[in-house]
Amino acid sequence: MSQELSLHQRRRKPLEVELEGIPWWPVLQPQERENVLRVLLVGDAEPGDYVCRTGRAPTYWFGVVDGLLKMNTESADGVSMTLAGLPPGGWFGEGTVIKREPYRYNVQAIRKSVVGGLPIDMFHWLLDHSIGFNRFVMNQLNERLGQFIAAREIDRMSNPDLRVARSLAALFNPLLYPGVGQILRITQQELANLVGLSRQRVNEALSVLQRERVIQIEYGGLRVLDLEALRHGEFCAPRKALA
C-alpha cells in the first residue's frame, strides 16, 4: 500500500484546537467557516510519508498543523535540493492549486505531523467569495517567491555556518509560519536533513550561532535571539590551532 494512500486513509475532521492553529481561519466570515468545516480534513502523517509528489495532480491545499515537513526537488541525475522546511502554521502549494497543475516538487514528513487539507474546489470557492482569504493567499505568494529565491542562494553557499543560519531564518518567517513563534521544536538530525549537511557539522554551526548570541539551544529546540543576524550576519567557526 502506498504511503499516500495510508496518509489519505488516516484523514479525519480537525479538532477545535487544530482549527485555532490555522492562520487563515480567523480571516473567514461565519458563512465561509461553515462551508469550510464541511470539507476541511487533517491527516496524521508518519515520518517518511509523502504529502505531495512530483507529477501528481493537486486535490487539496495543504498546511502543517503540527510537526515538520520538507519540500524538495530532484534533478534528472538524482541530485536533491531542499526548497523549504515547513514548520507549524505553514500552508503551501497555493500556486500549484491556483493553476491546477501537477506538483513540481515533493513534500515529505520528517517527523510525526498533522497535515491539514482543504479540497481544491473549496480553495477556489474562497478565492471567489472571500476578500480576507484572497489577501492571505496574495501575501503567501509574495513571501513564497522571496523564500524560493533565498533557497537557491542557500543551496550554493559553501560556508556551512551560513547555510544553517539562513535555513533557520527561513523557518522563523512569521508570515509563512506563524505557528513557530520564537522557539522552533527541531532536532539536530531534522535540521541536518533540511540543510543537507551531516548532524555533526550542523552541531558545530549551531555552536557558532549560539556563541554569537544569535540563537539559544534549548531542550527539544532552538530559540531565536536575533532574527536579523540569522538573515544577514556573517559567521565562521574558529580555526583549530595546528599541533
Side-chain angles (χ1 to χ4, degrees):
M1 184 177 294
S2 69
Q3 288 178 311
E4 295 95 336
L5 181 58
S6 62
L7 176 58
H8 184 67
Q9 286 184 331
R10 293 194 295 270
R11 69 194 186 279
R12 56 179 173 80
K13 301 300 291 184
L15 304 174
E16 186 66 32
V17 66
E18 292 169 337
L19 285 174
E20 293 173 358
I22 295 176
W24 47 269
W25 181 251
V27 309
L28 301 182
Q29 297 298 314
Q31 184 59 54
E32 296 164 356
R33 289 188 180 189
E34 288 184 20
N35 292 341
V36 166
L37 273 178
R38 287 197 292 268
V39 296
L40 181 65
L41 298 170
V42 297
D44 299 302
E46 296 292 330
D49 276 350
Y50 281 93
V51 179
C52 308
R53 297 199 76 164
T54 301
R56 301 289 179 84
T59 53
Y60 290 89
W61 182 45
F62 291 111
V64 186
V65 178
D66 188 35
L68 184 65
L69 309 182
K70 176 175 75 170
M71 179 186 291
N72 74 298
T73 60
E74 291 186 3
S75 63
D77 55 2
V79 177
S80 176
M81 184 183 80
T82 298
L83 298 175
L86 300 165
W91 286 71
F92 56 90
E94 50 279 341
T96 300
V97 173
I98 288 173
K99 292 181 285 186
R100 296 180 184 262
E101 67 177 16
Y103 289 109
R104 298 182 181 181
Y105 48 81
N106 298 316
V107 176
Q108 192 172 19
I110 292 180
R111 72 163 82 119
K112 284 188 175 183
S113 304
V114 179
V115 181
L118 182 70
I120 188 170
D121 289 339
M122 179 54 66
F123 176 92
H124 280 271
W125 184 88
L126 286 173
L127 286 182
D128 291 339
H129 295 85
S130 173
I131 294 176
F133 187 78
N134 268 272
R135 287 174 177 168
F136 179 88
V137 171
M138 183 172 60
N139 288 335
Q140 284 276 111
L141 290 169
N142 184 53
E143 287 294 317
R144 190 79 65 199
L145 176 61
Q147 182 190 48
F148 287 161
I149 292 173
R152 294 194 63 85
E153 294 175 347
I154 292 170
D155 193 61
R156 295 171 181 172
M157 288 180 174
S158 59
N159 183 332
D161 302 322
L162 283 182
R163 287 187 65 171
V164 172
R166 301 301 189 262
S167 297
L168 282 175
L171 292 171
F172 279 102
N173 185 312
L175 294 178
L176 287 176
Y177 313 124
V180 174
Q182 289 187 312
I183 299 179
L184 176 66
R185 299 299 177 188
I186 191 170
T187 68
Q188 291 181 6
Q189 186 58 59
E190 289 168 345
L191 184 57
N193 291 339
L194 290 177
V195 181
L197 298 171
S198 68
R199 179 180 176 181
Q200 180 181 3
R201 190 59 190 86
V202 165
N203 181 50
E204 293 174 6
L206 293 177
S207 296
V208 170
L209 298 178
Q210 181 165 252
R211 189 188 68 237
E212 296 292 329
R213 298 181 180 178
V214 177
I215 65 168
Q216 180 177 318
I217 301 173
E218 299 185 358
Y219 180 77
L222 304 168
R223 179 184 295 273
V224 62
L225 303 177
D226 191 338
L227 183 56
E228 284 304 305
L230 280 180
R231 288 172 173 166
H232 306 294
E234 299 292 329
F235 308 100
C236 185
R239 293 183 179 180
K240 296 181 181 178
L242 297 177

